[in-house]
Amino acid sequence: MALLIITPGRNALRWQRELQRIDSKLDIRIWPDTGAPKEIEFAFAWNHPAGELQKYPNLKCIASLGAGVDHILQDPDLPENVFVTRVVDPLLTRSMSEYIVLTVLNRRRNFCVYREKQQKKKWHLEPIVEFSRCNIGIMGLGEIGKSAAKRLTEFSFRVFGWSRTPKQIPKITTCYGNHQFMQFLHRSHILICLLPLTPLTKDILNQSTFDNLPEGAYVINVARGEHLVEHDLLQAIETGKLSGACLDVFRQEPLPKKHPFRRHPKIIVTPHIAGITAPESVAGQVVENYTRVQMGEPPLHRVNLQRGY
Ligand code: OXD
């Protein structure tokens, strides 16, 4: 039985090398050179072509190459009765938290403003944004949300968290469900989106959300581009409701060259690099899950298909 790597546009050979470094006997196929479809039991996937995974009658598990699984679940022809798993990796969690802390500190200490002033040869002190005007609101309290929240409390930020179901996290004030969403927003000067993309969270960064934030709030999106209604963000910055945004994910990636975010003075754009899945760090859990599935055991880090994460 074989493991299929189906990650168009990504370096599949690098993954193959890492997986075989752990188990040299693995029979790995790289899409589209799949060999006999009935031999494929496990697919390691990122942005696979819709409908493709139905072609493997013995497929038991689809493992996402990343923490998100929306790219798998959006396939309307996904085979039934297969496990779907995601990556849970300390290195990925750490790199996401690092990006978030960096962005929050950048905002508090005005580094982007200084860069602009430097270019204009200006020497002018900017007031540091007071902690009382820097409450952090984290949407999504999974592994990454919890880790980022902890790091931010270590810098003395007051952190609020919002999730679908109640969560208790030391030093974080948590809210949950639709009924507590507004109350969460009212307190969040810096709003960070770490939600999984599901039909319930798509477009959640919209005008009504922005309207309920304090004046001059700042938005950080490191989840998915589809969480954000782009026009609403531009408008909220235009009216001064928001002071700016830092975006790592976009509806269309790469972000088109003429997109208004590209040159916007109040929007920082990074090319989906907040968290990088490193093959050396993640290959072990993929091989472990492949072995489990072959032995008829449930894999680790399974996704609840009803919930979508
Ligand atoms: C992920 C991503 O989901 O890279 O891991 O966006």
Side-chain angles (χ1 to χ4, degrees):
M1 285 294 166
L3 181 158
L4 173 68
I5 302 181
I6 177 163
T7 56
R10 299 246 172 171
N11 189 345
L13 285 173
R14 188 163 162 223
W15 280 101
Q16 180 184 31
R17 242 190 344 263
E18 275 310 313
L19 296 171
Q20 281 177 335
R21 202 174 51 77
I22 295 171
D23 182 350
S24 58
K25 291 198 265 333
L26 286 181
D27 179 356
I28 298 183
R29 317 279 167 84
I30 297 183
W31 186 85
D33 292 329
T34 61
K38 65 176 184 341
E39 291 169 2
I40 306 293
E41 248 184 355
F42 190 99
F44 181 56
W46 187 261
N47 286 336
H48 68 273
E52 176 63 27
L53 295 172
Q54 272 210 337
K55 297 182 186 159
Y56 307 97
N58 293 318
L59 189 66
K60 297 193 174 58
C61 180
I62 306 168
S64 170
L65 175 150
V69 291
D70 46 292
H71 60 102
I72 296 174
L73 303 187
Q74 74 197 6
D75 180 349
D77 295 316
L78 208 61
E80 282 171 10
N81 303 320
V82 292
F83 292 115
V84 175
T85 66
R86 66 199 180 91
V87 165
V88 177
D89 173 44
L91 208 66
L92 177 67
T93 303
R94 195 171 75 201
S95 84
M96 293 285 290
S97 302
E98 194 177 82
Y99 180 101
I100 290 166
V101 170
L102 173 73
T103 311
V104 167
L105 291 178
N106 184 2
R107 159 85 186 123
R108 179 166 134 78
R109 300 301 302 262
N110 296 302
F111 260 51
C112 289
V113 182
Y114 284 122
R115 179 79 188 137
E116 236 180 274
K117 299 214 157 148
Q118 180 187 348
Q119 274 155 1
K120 293 182 187 146
K121 307 210 168 28
K122 287 202 174 139
W123 182 276
H124 178 259
L125 268 58
E126 284 293 319
I128 294 177
V129 184
E130 299 291 334
F131 274 116
S132 61
R133 302 266 321 139
C134 265
N135 288 343
I136 313 287
I138 298 185
M139 303 163 77
L141 296 173
E143 292 296 319
I144 298 169
K146 279 190 289 197
S147 154
K150 180 166 178 294
R151 302 248 163 178
L152 288 163
T153 58
E154 286 161 7
F155 279 93
S156 307
F157 288 100
R158 186 145 184 236
V159 181
F160 298 87
W162 180 76
S163 51
R164 193 182 61 95
T165 52
K167 300 249 161 95
Q168 281 194 346
I169 305 172
K171 298 195 188 148
I172 314 294
T173 308
T174 53
C175 315
Y176 72 99
N178 288 342
H179 65 298
Q180 291 186 341
F181 189 47
M182 294 304 158
Q183 149 189 353
F184 160 79
L185 293 176
H186 293 331
R187 295 155 154 179
S188 301
H189 300 106
I190 300 183
L191 182 70
I192 303 171
C193 180
L194 278 167
L195 291 167
L197 181 67
T198 70
L200 291 179
T201 65
K202 185 170 182 290
D203 296 332
I204 194 163
L205 297 174
N206 59 29
Q207 189 193 334
S208 145
T209 296
F210 302 147
D211 282 349
N212 281 285
L213 294 170
E215 286 304 304
Y218 192 81
V219 170
I220 301 173
N221 188 17
V222 277
R224 285 290 181 264
E226 289 86 348
H227 286 123
L228 174 67
V229 180
E230 297 183 344
H231 170 263
D232 291 0
L233 178 80
L234 288 168
Q235 204 161 29
I237 295 178
E238 184 69 35
T239 61
K241 177 71 204 181
L242 295 181
S243 54
C246 176
L247 309 173
D248 185 54
V249 286
F250 304 90
R251 287 183 180 255
Q252 191 184 340
E253 293 179 8
L255 187 64
K257 289 216 168 73
K258 296 218 161 89
H259 195 288
F261 290 171
R262 285 259 193 185
R263 301 179 69 82
H264 199 296
K266 296 196 170 155
I267 299 179
I268 299 176
V269 165
T270 53
H272 202 144
I273 45 79
I276 306 279
T277 315
E280 312 76 51
S281 179
V282 170
Q285 61 186 265
V286 178
V287 174
E288 155 111 40
N289 273 348
Y290 182 47
T291 311
R292 282 173 168 252
V293 166
Q294 280 184 312
M295 292 188 341
E297 287 174 22
L300 304 172
H301 312 314
R302 290 187 300 281
V303 167
N304 175 326
L305 298 179
Q306 260 68 51
R307 244 175 24 185
Y309 59 95

